[in-house]
Amino acid sequence: QEEEKVVEERLKKLALVLVKTGNKRFLAALSNCISDGIPTLVRACLVTVAWMSSSLSPLHGCNTFQPLACSVLAAKLLDRLSYDRVMEERVLASLSLLNLVRHPECLEGLLPLKRDTTESLRDLADVTWTAKELLFACCR
C-alpha cells in the first residue's frame, strides 16, 4: 500500500513535468497522434491521456491541466467514442473525458453533446461505467 502511494506520487510528478515542459505542444502532439490512425500509436496516446487526466485531476489537487487538455484534446476524444472505433479506444476516450469534465470549464465546453455522441455513449454504457458517468455529468 505504501509502495503504491509512492509510485502514484511519482507518476503524478512525471505527468506534471510533461505538461509543464511540453505545455500545449505536448498535448497537441498527443492530439495529432490520436487522429493519425496508426493503431498502436493511437492506443499509446489514449493510454497517456487517460493516465494524465487521472493523475492531474482536480480530485488530486491539479486545476490547470483539465482546461488546457480539454481545449486541445476534447474533439479528438469525442471522435474516438463513435461506433466504428475499436472498443478499447472508446473506453479510454470515455475515461479521459470523464476525468476532464470534472473541471467545470471543460464540462461547459463539451455541452451540448451531439446526438451521435450521446448515442455512442449510451451504447458504450453497456460496456463501461465511465460512459454512464459521462452521460450523467453531461445530461444533468
Side-chain angles (χ1 to χ4, degrees), residues 94-112:
S94 71
L95 173 62
S96 299
L97 284 166
L98 180 61
N99 288 330
L100 293 176
V101 300
R102 290 188 173 133
H103 195 284
E105 286 179 45
C106 294
L107 182 57
E108 292 168 10
L110 289 179
L111 298 178

Side-chain angles (χ1 to χ4, degrees), residues 9-78:
E9 195 57 37
R10 284 185 182 162
L11 287 173
K12 182 179 175 183
K13 286 179 184 177
L14 175 60
L16 279 170
V17 167
L18 287 171
V19 170
K20 285 183 179 180
T21 58
N23 206 351
K24 194 172 183 174
R25 290 178 308 197
F26 178 69
L27 295 173
L30 287 172
S31 177
N32 290 336
C33 291
I34 289 170
S35 64
D36 191 276
I38 301 171
T40 54
L41 191 55
V42 170
R43 182 186 182 282
C45 290
L46 286 170
V47 168
T48 301
V49 172
W51 158 62
M52 291 182 76
S53 66
S54 176
S55 294
L56 300 178
S57 74
L59 301 175
H60 294 101
C62 183
N63 288 315
T64 57
F65 173 75
Q66 283 77 11
L68 180 60
C70 206
S71 70
V72 176
L73 296 168
K76 305 296 182 181
L77 294 172
L78 287 168

